[in-house]
């Protein structure tokens, strides 16, 4: 393609296991020769984004994201009483192994990762240094993994402050921003108002509504928003992932939704 073409940024949003859909999005973009010049990731999007930015190997990305389940499961078996279910040290070591303990400067595609400071509530942006501490912080789901201290910041999941970091891509130099939002509860959930409103059901529904509106705010700078069908995350979806029931389907859902906007992206590249 012309060297003077517009630069494309890809924002990969938070969403836990639903992040498998990101793999499908990237696959479809590659198949259609859509360039990816910048990547910004939040939470699970930081892992997918970092792996692809480093290796640019979609087959390897799919293998490590969909598979390696025993290794992933073991990272949860690290109990602590320090404000979380797991210490996160096993996760850190696993990520270092999978990403060759690389640094941001080693990536083939410029990358940015976001996390949230638990003390100030502000978004913290990583663009240099080691990849793994940034990913570990960005994926630090509160109460699941222990917050990670980097410098003066006590960091947790990036999805709490910037679930789809599209504006960050503008600052990196992207002319066209493609965002992948996994928090569209309207699309992902069927809600039966006739059922009893238990405490957990009300709390979960309320949280998903909050995430929905935060994601809407977080994609305000996007030219293209891709929202794959990604059923709500909970105990069932977590179990299904580890029993290999829903992973491949989430990847296919990402491909399916991306296919719908390919022509729009090509028009933006031409104009």
């Amino acid at each position: 393609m012309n060297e003077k073409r517009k630069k494309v940024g890809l924002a990969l949003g938070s969403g836990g296991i639903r992040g498998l859909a990101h793999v499908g999005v990237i696959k479809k973009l590659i198949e259609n020769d859509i360039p990816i010049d910048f990547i910004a990731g939040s939470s699970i999007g930081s892992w997918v984004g970092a792996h692809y930015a480093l290796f640019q190997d979609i087959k390897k990305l799919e293998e490590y994201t969909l598979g390696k389940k025993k290794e992933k499961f073991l990272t949860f078996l690290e109990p602590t009483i320090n404000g979380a279910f797991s210490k996160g040290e096993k996760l850190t070591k696993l990520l270092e192994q999978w990403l060759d303990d690389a640094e941001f400067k080693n990536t083939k595609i410029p990358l940015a990762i976001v996390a949230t400071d638990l003390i100030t509530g502000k978004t913290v942006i990583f663009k240099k240094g080691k990849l793994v501490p940034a990913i570990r912080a960005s994926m630090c789901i509160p109460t699941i993994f222990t917050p990670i201290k980097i410098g003066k910041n006590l960091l947790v999941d990036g999805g709490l402050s910037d679930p789809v970091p599209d504006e960050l891509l503008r600052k990196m130099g992207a002319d066209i921003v493609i965002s992948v939002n996994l928090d569209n509860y309207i699309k992902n959930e069927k809600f039966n108002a006739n059922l009893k409103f238990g405490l957990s059901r009300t709390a979960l529904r309320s949280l998903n509504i909050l995430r929905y509106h935060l994601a809407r705010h977080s994609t305000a700078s996007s030219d293209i928003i891709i929202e794959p069908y990604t059923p709500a995350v909970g105990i069932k979806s977590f179990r299904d992932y580890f029993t290999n029931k829903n992973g491949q389907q989430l990847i296919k859902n990402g491909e399916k939704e991306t296919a719908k906007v390919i022509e729009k992206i090509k028009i933006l590249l031409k104009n």
Side-chain angles (χ1 to χ4, degrees):
M1 299 184 75
N2 194 314
E3 290 184 2
K4 295 183 180 180
R5 65 164 174 78
K6 294 180 179 179
K7 300 293 184 180
V8 178
L10 180 63
L12 300 175
S14 61
I17 293 168
R18 291 177 287 182
L20 283 158
H22 289 323
V23 179
V25 171
I26 296 173
K27 284 179 72 174
K28 189 56 65 173
L29 293 175
I30 293 170
E31 286 177 12
N32 288 274
D33 297 319
I34 303 298
I36 301 174
D37 301 292
F38 306 97
I39 296 176
S42 181
S43 195
I44 188 63
S46 72
W47 151 255
V48 176
H51 194 283
Y52 187 71
L54 183 63
F55 299 114
Q56 283 192 302
D57 186 335
I58 191 62
K59 289 184 179 179
K60 185 175 182 179
L61 173 60
E62 184 170 1
E63 175 192 350
Y64 276 67
T65 307
L66 187 60
K68 308 288 183 180
K69 294 180 180 179
K70 180 179 179 180
E71 296 96 320
K72 292 172 187 173
F73 183 75
L74 290 175
T75 65
F76 291 96
L77 303 181
E78 194 178 16
T80 176
I81 58 172
N82 191 21
F85 180 76
S86 173
K87 292 180 182 178
E89 293 176 2
K90 289 183 178 180
L91 175 61
T92 297
K93 291 179 181 178
L94 190 63
L95 290 172
E96 288 173 346
Q97 177 186 339
W98 287 353
L99 295 171
D100 297 337
D101 200 20
E103 299 185 17
F104 279 83
K105 65 182 181 181
N106 302 131
T107 62
K108 298 174 183 176
I109 300 173
L111 171 72
I113 287 172
V114 301
T116 304
D117 188 345
L118 192 60
I119 298 172
T120 66
K122 294 181 179 180
T123 301
V124 176
I125 300 169
F126 293 92
K127 293 183 181 177
K128 61 182 180 179
K130 296 278 190 179
L131 286 174
V132 171
I135 298 169
R136 163 74 173 84
S138 188
M139 293 176 62
C140 187
I141 304 170
T143 73
I144 300 297
F145 292 109
T146 303
I148 179 171
K149 188 170 179 58
I150 299 179
K152 296 180 180 180
N153 302 117
L154 186 63
L155 299 171
V156 291
D157 200 291
L160 295 180
S161 60
D162 197 0
V164 194
D166 66 346
E167 189 175 343
L168 179 53
L169 290 165
R170 297 286 185 198
K171 295 177 181 178
M172 293 171 73
D175 302 300
I176 300 168
V177 173
I178 302 169
S179 292
V180 188
N181 174 31
L182 306 178
D183 278 320
N184 188 338
Y185 82 101
I186 294 174
K187 179 182 290 186
N188 292 329
E189 296 182 30
K190 293 180 180 179
F191 193 80
N192 189 342
N194 295 321
L195 296 176
K196 274 191 174 183
F197 283 85
L199 180 61
S200 61
R201 186 165 181 258
T202 301
L204 180 60
R205 183 66 168 182
S206 300
L207 177 61
N208 287 339
I209 290 172
L210 186 151
R211 289 174 62 101
Y212 168 80
H213 287 289
L214 179 57
R216 278 287 176 274
H217 174 76
S218 197
T219 53
S221 296
S222 304
D223 296 294
I224 300 288
I225 302 175
I226 300 171
E227 296 181 320
Y229 173 58
T230 53
V233 171
I235 296 298
K236 182 179 183 301
S237 60
F238 182 82
R239 183 190 66 218
D240 286 350
Y241 169 74
F242 282 102
T243 55
N244 204 29
K245 290 184 179 180
N246 63 356
Q248 192 62 55
Q249 187 58 53
L250 286 171
I251 293 176
K252 290 180 180 178
N253 291 349
E255 293 183 69
K256 180 180 178 181
E257 287 304 307
T258 306
K260 295 178 182 178
V261 298
I262 291 297
E263 291 307 315
K264 290 182 181 180
I265 297 172
K266 289 182 176 179
I267 290 171
L268 288 172
L269 282 167
K270 289 179 181 178
N271 293 339

